[in-house]
Amino acid sequence: MHGLGELEAAVMNVLWQEHPLKVRDVLDRLETGKKLAYTTVMTVLDNLHRKGWVTRELEGKAYRYEPAFSRAEAAARTVRDVLVSSGDPEAVLMHFAQSATERESELLRRALPKKKRSSAS
């Protein structure tokens, strides 16, 4: 995901699959190919909380974490960031529209609100 480091993205992937989870639960489910320390995962979750990617609730002495928004919402935010940072959102959208599959084009047509036609037209 845009704006996330590799380990942050891996933690978010775990939370999008199952939540809420404690640090230990996230650590046990992470598949990074590396042995990670509990404190490393705790720090990553704290950073994700500070950045607004996760919410947390204290349960006993430990926090339970869950995503602040869905994977689809995160992807949409990434697209929005790309459009804003491109300097020419119209050109980016036009290139995307030209490269969209038939299925993607149909989904976009259904998602865009239909303009009300006035009887005066």
Side-chain angles (χ1 to χ4, degrees):
M1 289 278 120
H2 184 74
L4 294 181
E6 188 177 326
L7 188 51
E8 290 174 325
V11 167
M12 288 306 300
N13 284 331
V14 168
L15 288 172
W16 278 319
Q17 291 172 23
E18 182 183 350
H19 59 272
L21 295 173
K22 293 181 180 179
V23 174
R24 175 67 57 198
D25 301 324
V26 173
L27 177 61
D28 291 345
R29 288 164 177 77
L30 271 174
E31 297 177 11
T32 62
K34 302 177 209 166
K35 177 114 170 106
L36 296 170
Y38 177 93
T39 54
T40 300
V41 176
M42 185 173 63
T43 299
V44 169
L45 283 162
D46 189 55
N47 289 341
L48 288 168
H49 178 259
R50 186 177 38 77
K51 291 178 178 182
W53 282 81
V54 299
T55 60
R56 66 186 181 191
E57 189 171 321
L58 194 59
E59 183 179 288
K61 294 181 180 182
Y63 283 109
R64 290 176 82 66
Y65 293 87
E66 60 185 306
F69 36 83
S70 71
R71 185 186 303 266
E73 289 169 317
R77 288 174 180 217
T78 299
V79 171
R80 170 65 50 210
D81 289 347
V82 169
L83 287 173
V84 169
S85 67
S86 72
D88 192 352
E90 184 176 333
V92 173
L93 286 171
M94 293 303 290
H95 283 289
F96 176 77
Q98 292 168 353
S99 69
T101 66
E102 199 54 46
R103 171 89 174 120
E104 291 164 342
S105 295
E106 178 56 32
L107 289 169
L108 286 170
R109 278 192 284 279
R110 283 193 283 155
L112 294 172
K114 296 186 179 183
K115 291 183 180 180
K116 291 184 180 180
R117 299 171 199 247
S118 67
S119 54
S121 296

